Amino acid sequence: MRLFPVLLLTTLLVTPALAEIERSKTKWKVKPDFEKSAAARESISGADCAPGGWCLAANDEKNYAQFFKIRKNRLDPDKKGVIRLLPKKIDGKKMDEIDAEGVVFVPSRDSKAPSFFYVTGSHGLSRSGDFQPSRFTLFRFPVETKSGKPTFKFNDKKVAPEVERTMLLAETIKSNPDLAPFADQTLDRNGVTIEGISEMDGDMLFGLRSPCLAGHALILRVPMETLFQETPPPSTTDRVALGDNVGIRDLTRVKDGLLILAGRSDDRRGSEDFTCGEKREPPAPAPSLWFWSGLSGDAARPLGPLPGVDRNASVETLLVLEETDAAFKVLVLFDGEKNGAPVEFLVGK
């Protein structure tokens, strides 16, 4: 979700002057497979990278994340790099899956302080309408600024004490006037569902797949320093016009703003006649990319639909491999596909 300068990518991007997206002929592989099950491998839902090469991928089916590296045309998951985020029980209550939907690396502004990886749950009800506390959790843990490696020992069995978690963002959502009416609704009823996370100028930005409101997607903006305090953090929202039934599926920081990976807002596995809070036949927008300055009030600029991607494909994760003055080279991963089935695109600015 952050610009990741892959040193081994030496060729310059060549694209037309007009914003245009081209599907690369480069074939990407994932070897070895992501851990620890087929369910996890088919539900890669967010990823980000530190400048030194270590990346973190989350999935929306389990309670752990996994480190990986980007090699030449290959994602290289670290088999020993599985980090447990949530215990089986909290205060005697069984925890379900995190429903993790976003990952962001936040570099330290102080050379003496660590950087952090953040992982966010969807903060939405289950498809059956159940409230599962595990879904309403935000995590962070300290890592080395250059490498992205954790500053502590970890494994896939027990949550390390350095892994912090908070459930107070749920209270923030319920008190936000734009989101409160949708906080207790399911996704197929336009309920709150976070699917992207990024940071800018001291704020954490949460991109929402839902609700969609009059052709706009919402971004929840929270001062980063308030996220892990003892009281619910304050928030504001930005409305970004992406189109009817279009929600944010990922956010990625770039040089002058953010890239937005956009896709269908509603839930095709739920009601097929209820879209964006209205009982009507849903449109089927194509997955697309947008540029947004990150400034409140600024409009998002469409970069185009993703060529060769089916309208019903579930785009989930966006990684920026390279950025020049003219273009971006990005990698998109898909939900429901083994290891995310990464596809490379060249995106003109």
Side-chain angles (χ1 to χ4, degrees):
M1 300 170 81
R2 167 176 303 276
L3 172 63
F4 177 57
V6 183
L7 298 180
L8 52 83
L9 295 174
T10 58
T11 58
L12 292 176
L13 304 181
V14 179
T15 58
L18 295 176
E20 181 177 316
I21 301 180
E22 175 186 345
R23 183 168 178 146
S24 173
K25 295 181 180 179
T26 301
K27 302 296 183 183
W28 280 74
K29 297 180 179 179
V30 180
K31 188 176 181 179
D33 290 336
F34 280 104
E35 298 288 336
K36 301 168 38 181
S37 69
R41 284 188 282 277
E42 293 177 3
S43 59
I44 304 300
S45 54
D48 200 11
C49 300
W54 281 103
C55 308
L56 183 72
N59 68 81
D60 60 17
E61 290 291 336
K62 302 296 179 179
N63 51 22
Y64 55 80
Q66 184 175 2
F67 288 95
F68 69 98
K69 283 191 172 183
I70 298 181
R71 309 292 188 184
K72 185 177 181 180
N73 307 332
R74 178 170 68 90
L75 301 187
D76 180 12
D78 181 2
K79 294 184 73 67
K80 296 182 179 180
V82 178
I83 179 169
R84 191 178 184 96
L85 300 175
L86 192 70
K88 293 182 178 180
K89 291 184 178 181
I90 296 179
D91 297 331
K93 296 181 179 180
K94 182 181 178 181
M95 292 292 104
D96 297 288
E97 73 269 13
I98 296 169
D99 195 26
E101 293 290 354
V103 178
V104 63
F105 171 78
V106 178
S108 172
R109 296 183 178 184
D110 181 350
S111 60
K112 297 182 180 180
S115 298
F116 285 88
F117 269 113
Y118 288 73
V119 179
T120 182
S122 67
H123 288 73
L125 300 179
S126 71
R127 284 189 166 85
S128 61
D130 296 329
F131 173 82
Q132 298 173 348
S134 54
R135 294 170 175 261
F136 293 80
T137 311
L138 176 69
F139 304 87
R140 74 173 181 181
F141 56 84
V143 295
E144 297 173 0
T145 298
K146 290 185 178 180
S147 68
K149 290 183 177 180
T151 59
F152 56 92
K153 293 183 179 181
F154 65 92
N155 57 52
D156 63 340
K157 304 296 183 184
K158 186 177 180 181
V159 179
E162 291 82 357
V163 177
E164 298 178 81
R165 65 177 180 266
T166 177
M167 295 183 179
L168 291 177
L169 189 62
E171 298 303 316
T172 296
I173 291 171
K174 288 186 176 182
S175 65
N176 182 290
D178 290 324
L179 298 178
F182 311 96
D184 294 322
Q185 301 295 323
T186 57
L187 176 58
D188 68 354
R189 285 296 185 270
N190 212 29
V192 167
T193 304
I194 293 172
E195 288 222 0
I197 183 173
S198 192
E199 58 84 24
M200 174 175 276
D201 299 331
D203 289 336
M204 193 67 81
L205 305 179
F206 297 89
L208 280 83
R209 171 178 177 175
S210 176
C212 54
L213 303 175
H216 290 72
L218 300 183
I219 294 175
L220 179 69
R221 187 187 296 264
V222 180
M224 204 177 320
E225 63 183 12
T226 68
L227 281 170
F228 284 82
Q229 296 182 355
E230 295 182 357
T231 56
S235 69
T236 57
T237 49
D238 294 292
R239 297 194 179 202
V240 184
L242 301 181
D244 189 15
N245 197 29
V246 180
I248 295 170
R249 309 305 288 269
D250 205 355
L251 288 174
T252 305
R253 182 70 188 273
V254 290
K255 181 179 178 182
D256 296 319
L258 299 113
L259 290 184
I260 296 174
L261 178 64
R264 189 165 175 153
S265 174
D266 67 353
D267 183 10
R268 293 191 300 113
R269 286 178 284 185
S271 172
E272 284 288 343
D273 60 355
F274 198 89
T275 299
C276 297
E278 300 174 344
K279 197 167 184 61
R280 58 184 171 90
E281 184 177 352
S288 57
L289 285 173
W290 300 68
F291 173 82
W292 182 51
S293 69
L295 301 177
S296 297
D298 280 6
R301 177 167 55 87
L303 300 175
L306 296 178
V309 175
D310 187 272
R311 286 180 175 271
N312 292 320
S314 185
V315 292
E316 282 286 307
T317 301
L318 178 67
L319 288 166
V320 177
L321 301 175
E322 185 180 8
E323 179 178 1
T324 69
D325 291 340
F328 306 100
K329 181 180 287 187
V330 305
L331 202 64
V332 174
L333 280 69
F334 299 81
D335 187 24
E337 301 289 341
K338 182 179 179 181
N339 295 317
V343 178
E344 180 183 307
F345 296 92
L346 306 180
V347 185
K349 290 186 175 180

